[in-house]
Every structure is written in structure tokens, then in C-alpha cells.
């Protein structure tokens, strides 16, 4: 089970922290990440972290502003979002897959999402 939390309303320039709780999986074996999608737009991969924790990947649109991290002991993956922009408004989804390539394209596990709205 993959469950996101922490979405909400923020002002431009502000910060939000999303958290994803994962159960039912051996989390240490899984690559984890975040996608987002807003109405009328394609799903966008936002940030990903390798199962080892040693590699991360970010969309160009969020580099330098967002940070993804994982805590295997707490079974969570977190997305710290700073310097938010109105264009960051979207529903954010947590995802997990054993294969890195699949995580970036068609993850096996995905949550229901949490809404982030950034006002200007």
C-alpha cells in the first residue's frame, strides 16, 4: 500500500513537505519516486531515488528546489518542496518499482495522490 500525505495550499516562494508511507513491500528492494499531474497536462516525473539511496534524479523544472529522500526504517519517501511556483500546482503521486526504468515510466505501485496548490 502506498499512501501520500502533506499536500495543501502554499504561497509562491513557500515550502511544503510531502510524505509517502509504504507498506506490504520490502521497501529496501524498491526504487521510489514522485510524479505529478495537473488537469489537461501529461503526467510528469518529478523526483526519484534509487533503492540504495545513492542515486537521485530530478525533473529540470524542480532541480535546486525539490529534494527527495528515503527512510527505509520508517518505510517512507519524502519530497521537500521549496521556492514553490504556481506551476508546481498539481496532484502528486508516490510510486515504487524494483526496476529503475519502470519506476520512471510505468511504476508497479502508485498511490492515490495528494493535491498541492500554489497561489501567486
Amino acid at each position: 500500500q502506498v499512501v501520500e500525505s502533506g499536500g495543501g495550499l502554499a504561497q509562491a516562494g513557500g515550502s511544503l513537505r510531502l510524505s509517502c508511507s509504504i507498506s506490504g513491500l520490502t521497501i529496501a528492494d524498491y526504487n521510489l519516486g514522485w510524479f505529478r499531474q495537473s488537469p489537461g497536462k501529461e503526467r510528469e516525473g518529478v523526483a526519484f531515488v534509487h533503492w540504495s539511496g545513492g542515486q537521485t534524479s530530478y525533473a529540470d523544472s524542480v532541480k535546486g528546489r525539490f529534494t527527495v529522500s528515503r527512510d527505509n526504517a520508517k518505510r517512507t519517501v519524502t519530497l521537500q518542496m521549496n521556492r514553490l511556483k504556481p506551476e508546481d500546482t498539481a496532484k502528486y503521486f508516490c510510486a515504487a518499482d524494483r526496476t529503475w526504468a519502470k519506476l520512471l515510466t510505468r511504476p508497479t505501485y502508485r498511490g492515490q495522490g495528494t493535491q498541492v496548490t500554489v497561489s501567486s
Side-chain angles (χ1 to χ4, degrees):
Q1 187 178 14
V2 178
V3 180
E4 303 92 341
S5 62
L9 178 65
Q11 289 190 331
S15 298
L16 280 175
R17 186 180 179 89
L18 305 184
S19 185
C20 175
S21 177
I22 299 171
S23 60
L25 304 175
T26 304
I27 190 172
D29 293 342
Y30 282 80
N31 304 292
L32 307 172
W34 293 88
F35 291 86
R36 66 186 180 186
Q37 189 165 20
S38 52
K41 294 187 177 181
E42 290 190 1
R43 186 187 67 176
E44 178 187 19
V46 176
F48 304 97
V49 56
H50 193 259
W51 64 265
S52 67
Q55 177 184 348
T56 56
S57 178
Y58 295 91
D60 288 342
S61 58
V62 307
K63 279 181 183 176
R65 300 188 297 121
F66 290 11
T67 302
V68 63
S69 59
R70 63 188 295 157
D71 187 331
N72 290 347
K74 294 182 179 179
R75 306 181 64 82
T76 59
V77 57
T78 299
L79 185 67
Q80 177 67 43
M81 305 186 294
N82 298 328
R83 305 202 312 272
L84 284 163
K85 303 177 181 180
E87 50 264 43
D88 294 321
T89 295
K91 196 167 190 179
Y92 284 71
F93 301 87
C94 177
D97 202 284
R98 288 178 178 268
T99 304
W100 183 257
K102 273 200 69 183
L103 176 68
L104 271 59
T105 55
R106 293 175 61 87
T108 301
Y109 300 97
R110 199 188 82 164
Q112 294 298 308
T114 184
Q115 180 66 36
V116 170
T117 303
V118 183
S119 62
S120 58

